[in-house]
Amino acid sequence: MPKKDAAAEVLELLDTAVDAMGGQNRPGQHDMARQVAESIETGKHLLVQAGTGTGKSLAYLVPLIHHALESTKPALVSTATLALQAQIVGRDLPRLLDALAPKLPREVDVALLKGRSNYVCVHKTGGGFPEDDDPGALFSLGDDHGVAHPAPAPGPTSALGREVVRLREWAEETETGDRDELLPGVTDRAWRQVSVTSMECLGAQRCPVAEQCFSERARAKAAVADLVITNHAMLAISAFEGLAVLPDYDVVVIDEAHELQDRVTGAVTGQLSGTVISAAVTAARKHTSASVEELAAAGRAFDASMEGVPAGLLPSGLNGEQELAVGRVREACRVALSDSKPEGGDAGDGGRQMARSRLLGVLEVCERLVSAPDAGEVVWASRPSTFSPGEGYSPPDDDAPATVNVAPLSVAGRLRDGLFDGHTVILTSATLAIGSEFGPVAGGLGLVGAAAPQWTGSDVGSPFDYPRQGVLYVAKNLPKPDRGTSPAQLEELEALLKASGGGALGLFSSRRAAEEAAAALRPKVDFPILCQGESSMSGLVKQFAEEDATCLFGTMSLWQGVDVPGGSCRLVVIDRIPFPRPDDPLMTARTRAVAKAGGNGFMTVSATHAAVRLAQGAGRLIRAAGDRGMVAVLDSRLATARYGGFLRAALPPFWSTTDRTVALGILERLRAAQAGEKTGVKS
């Protein structure tokens, strides 16, 4: 009997898993699993769009498991968010492996791999590194205002001190050292007391407790695992810096792939400021014998060179004075690094390593800044903004010290060489194509152009009947949006909320817009309106999901992170098309570069960015087969601008209208149907 091909075997395994897990077969899931199996078999890269409800996790995990059991190398799954990483490791994979166990020749070894700073450092908790903060702060009694106190009780008296003590106790018990397994969690400041960055780490050769290191254990386990779950930042470090942070893999599935370009860019963006230089000086003085007076002076000269420079893009890179200042910092860092090298028995000195890591970080950013024009990198200045409730974020303070940032103009070439070359890559998301075109997203990932590798794009659809389940309403008669929320938008929003009786998720372009809308509408409606920032995100989403009339307003984290099926989310309101900020220096530079090359910079950069995020926001509405509702966009440009059709092509195929009366009538009927059923499920 001839041997079945890999795709046929994968589909049999998928059917077994679905039956054992009590699910039902979905055409899109079958189609995706087959295409993933064929991509792995042929080595041809795949971009596959799988709508909400397709069951894409199973559709790629089953082929990966099938392949990993026969391969000598691990297969990777990379996610953008910790939430999906936790879902795969904690829920999807255990259930799937239990279901497939009778059909598999052996157990599947799964490993979770994160960046080093996500693990507790055994050497640091054992006293091998100095405290990042003043140790006295851990045990302080607070400001005594001159009042005498009795002798302090043993143990920490500050919140930070109590967190650190709990962390050190947990470090003695944990099997993994993974921060996400610590419940309840701790503040970032406390976590820094027990963790190190990759640059601060002494390394396996020099660390006296390397055999007990949680990060090294995780890497060792990943090296021999069948399946490794990691994240986009680790892929970025591997592709851009050539560091062996990942095992030698042959296949990778990138979930939440619409986030890959931004996550990679963020992971490799460097920053230089007087504060960063000063921190390196302080650490070197405290933990090494190196002379850093010249570095301190160079840091002051750097700050002086940036005085009066407004926040924003530096289109020609550094000017002459700034380049001289950065060059001076660079040379002073080199001298300090040379003078601070460990001698003899000092190799395991954590304080020295921490100081040298800060010096090295400054040096590397200086090198990038000086060579930015020739290396295709973008340079911009930023200054801190302040946030206050009711006022939102203030404009950057031009009198505050500047930070200079450097990032790649494009990550396409490096991804092409470091990710797509030598591996089979499957990228998946609910929003990878605009209409039927994958090119706009693929271009930013290095898959378009003469040197691009071969790839296939496929949309396996969604199990949802979007024209019957959802309505798209565009408020065509509203004026073009300006800064903040306009009275006309607020009036439109009020009418929509009242017609639907609440149950609305408000997705706003800024924190200030969300707060203004919540403050303006709360006195006018008789149901609760929650706003991002008033409680933890998980707490807000939980309350929103449990209360049919409650509304939730917020910004970008809600655009992609909310999964609330049922009647609690029957209206999604988007205040404006999510274009990049006009003053976003990196987007501005990329737009200009496309235009200079003869392309349409606005459509290639801004419109593509907006289309993907608009689709993500609209995707919050229909999360289950019984859901019904409306996406209302309060930006008339979606209906009137020439690029409106391009943006609408990225959205699910809802039934659409621009008639306000029709839209309000639909919401009133949805509200009445839900009230009549009293089930909490849309009808």
Side-chain angles (χ1 to χ4, degrees):
M1 181 178 292
K3 186 179 184 297
K4 296 175 184 173
D5 64 21
E9 293 179 350
V10 163
L11 293 181
E12 282 191 9
L13 287 175
L14 179 60
D15 288 340
T16 298
V18 170
D19 288 344
M21 295 164 68
Q24 51 185 251
N25 290 319
R26 305 167 185 174
Q29 188 179 56
H30 254 229
D31 191 16
M32 179 174 170
R34 176 184 57 78
Q35 292 188 50
V36 172
E38 290 173 351
S39 175
I40 294 172
E41 189 80 4
T42 63
K44 190 174 183 179
H45 307 305
L46 173 68
L47 274 69
V48 55
Q49 178 165 281
T52 305
T54 303
K56 62 184 171 66
S57 294
L58 287 189
Y60 65 69
L61 286 173
V62 171
L64 275 188
I65 290 169
H66 178 270
H67 168 74
L69 288 172
E70 298 180 351
S71 175
T72 58
K73 296 181 179 181
L76 264 57
V77 175
S78 176
T79 73
T81 61
L82 290 175
L84 181 57
Q85 198 174 58
Q87 175 186 312
I88 292 172
V89 174
R91 189 189 72 182
D92 295 349
L93 263 175
R95 293 179 62 210
L96 175 60
L97 292 175
D98 283 347
L100 291 179
K103 294 284 188 178
L104 300 180
R106 60 176 175 82
E107 288 189 3
V108 176
D109 189 9
V110 178
L112 177 63
L113 186 59
K114 303 178 181 180
R116 193 174 294 275
S117 62
N118 291 282
Y119 301 94
V120 68
C121 174
V122 178
H123 190 36
K124 193 166 188 176
T125 57
F129 281 79
E131 305 286 357
D132 284 356
D133 301 279
D134 179 1
L138 304 181
F139 298 89
S140 65
L141 291 172
D143 186 359
D144 61 12
H145 298 285
V147 178
H149 291 285
T157 55
S158 71
L160 175 63
R162 288 190 289 273
E163 284 189 315
V164 172
V165 167
R166 185 162 73 88
L167 278 168
R168 287 174 175 162
E169 292 173 349
W170 172 76
E172 297 292 328
E173 304 168 355
T174 176
E175 294 293 324
T176 67
D178 185 343
R179 180 179 182 177
D180 289 325
E181 294 187 7
L182 176 67
L183 296 174
V186 296
T187 62
D188 289 345
R189 187 182 178 199
W191 183 254
R192 284 196 298 269
Q193 299 293 338
V194 298
S195 66
V196 295
T197 65
S198 58
M199 291 180 68
E200 292 169 344
C201 176
L202 293 170
Q205 300 300 317
R206 293 166 53 203
C207 182
V209 291
E211 292 184 0
Q212 303 169 42
C213 175
F214 291 113
S215 177
E216 290 297 323
R217 286 184 191 176
R219 291 187 185 204
K221 183 177 180 183
V224 296
D226 299 304
L227 200 56
V228 178
I229 315 302
T230 187
N231 56 60
H232 295 357
M234 296 286 278
L235 281 183
I237 294 168
S238 175
F240 272 75
E241 300 180 21
L243 299 178
V245 294
L246 296 173
D248 183 18
Y249 63 96
D250 54 358
V251 176
V252 57
V253 171
I254 300 175
D255 204 340
E256 301 176 306
H258 64 279
E259 286 280 326
L260 182 62
Q261 183 180 11
D262 287 347
R263 298 286 173 141
V264 168
T265 301
V268 297
T269 296
Q271 295 185 321
L272 183 69
S273 67
T275 301
V276 169
I277 298 168
S278 179
V281 168
T282 300
R285 280 179 177 152
K286 187 174 182 180
H287 302 296
T288 77
S289 59
S291 173
V292 287
E293 296 309 314
E294 170 56 18
L295 180 56
R300 293 190 292 271
F302 169 79
D303 270 344
S305 75
M306 296 303 299
E307 286 181 3
V309 177
L313 179 67
L314 303 178
S316 301
L318 303 176
N319 64 26
E321 180 188 1
Q322 294 157 0
E323 190 167 334
L324 285 173
V326 170
R328 183 179 173 185
V329 172
R330 177 182 60 177
E331 294 309 312
C333 266
R334 284 176 175 165
V335 172
L337 279 165
S338 178
D339 292 347
S340 62
K341 288 180 180 177
E343 299 177 5
D346 292 337
D349 183 348
R352 181 186 299 275
Q353 179 65 19
M354 183 180 292
R356 285 177 55 80
S357 74
R358 292 183 178 179
L359 291 169
L360 185 60
V362 171
L363 175 62
E364 289 181 350
V365 177
C366 288
E367 297 277 15
R368 290 177 64 184
L369 286 169
V370 170
S371 61
D374 298 325
E377 295 212 277
V378 179
V379 179
W380 71 95
S382 58
R383 297 181 187 274
S385 299
T386 57
F387 177 80
S388 60
E391 295 295 327
Y393 286 95
S394 66
D397 181 1
D398 288 337
D399 294 327
T403 295
V404 178
N405 308 267
V406 58
L409 176 63
S410 170
V411 298
R414 297 296 290 272
L415 285 178
R416 186 163 53 232
D417 296 339
L419 175 62
F420 292 101
D421 186 22
H423 310 113
T424 301
V425 183
I426 295 106
L427 301 107
T428 185
S429 167
T431 50
L432 273 183
I434 298 173
S436 59
E437 292 295 322
F438 288 84
V441 173
L445 300 175
L447 293 175
V448 174
Q454 287 192 330
W455 59 277
T456 300
S458 175
D459 184 352
V460 299
S462 168
F464 302 144
D465 187 351
Y466 284 113
R468 291 180 178 274
Q469 291 184 249
V471 174
L472 171 65
Y473 166 57
V474 182
K476 184 178 180 180
N477 294 324
L478 287 180
K480 178 182 175 181
D482 201 351
R483 293 177 64 89
T485 50
S486 69
Q489 276 187 317
L490 291 174
E491 181 183 347
E492 189 84 8
L493 181 54
E494 179 185 347
L496 291 166
L497 293 185
K498 287 181 175 178
S500 99
L505 178 65
L507 304 178
F508 291 84
S509 54
S510 71
R511 180 80 165 263
R512 182 171 187 169
E515 291 180 335
E516 286 178 351
L521 292 174
R522 278 169 175 156
K524 299 182 178 182
V525 299
D526 57 1
F527 39 76
I529 296 179
L530 311 176
C531 193
Q532 184 177 344
E534 295 173 344
S535 180
S536 69
M537 186 61 70
S538 59
L540 290 171
V541 173
K542 185 175 185 291
Q543 184 178 347
F544 174 59
E546 292 175 349
E547 300 172 2
D548 285 353
T550 293
C551 301
L552 174 58
F553 290 1
T555 56
M556 189 52 68
S557 55
L558 294 181
W559 285 67
Q560 304 184 76
V562 176
D563 184 8
V564 178
S568 294
C569 184
R570 54 189 175 272
L571 172 63
V572 173
V573 181
I574 297 173
D575 72 331
R576 66 176 65 210
I577 298 169
F579 289 120
R581 288 170 54 104
D583 58 354
D584 183 316
L586 192 54
M587 290 295 189
T588 299
R590 287 174 173 171
T591 299
R592 292 178 181 178
V594 172
K596 186 176 180 180
N600 186 322
F602 170 76
M603 294 301 295
T604 301
V605 179
S606 295
T608 297
H609 176 280
V612 171
R613 279 147 189 79
L614 192 64
Q616 283 286 315
R620 301 309 97 201
L621 181 68
I622 306 299
R623 310 299 296 178
D627 286 357
R628 301 287 187 276
M630 177 182 292
V631 173
V633 181
L634 308 184
D635 189 334
S636 57
R637 294 174 294 177
L638 190 61
T640 61
R642 284 185 297 175
Y643 52 76
F646 176 81
L647 299 178
R648 292 194 302 274
L651 298 175
F654 298 124
W655 186 85
S656 63
T657 182
T658 58
D659 189 316
R660 185 176 192 251
T661 302
V662 170
L664 296 179
I666 290 171
L667 286 174
E668 288 168 355
R669 290 194 294 275
L670 283 171
R671 175 187 184 183
Q674 182 172 328
E677 292 174 0
K678 296 291 185 182
T679 63
V681 177
K682 296 168 187 169
S683 174

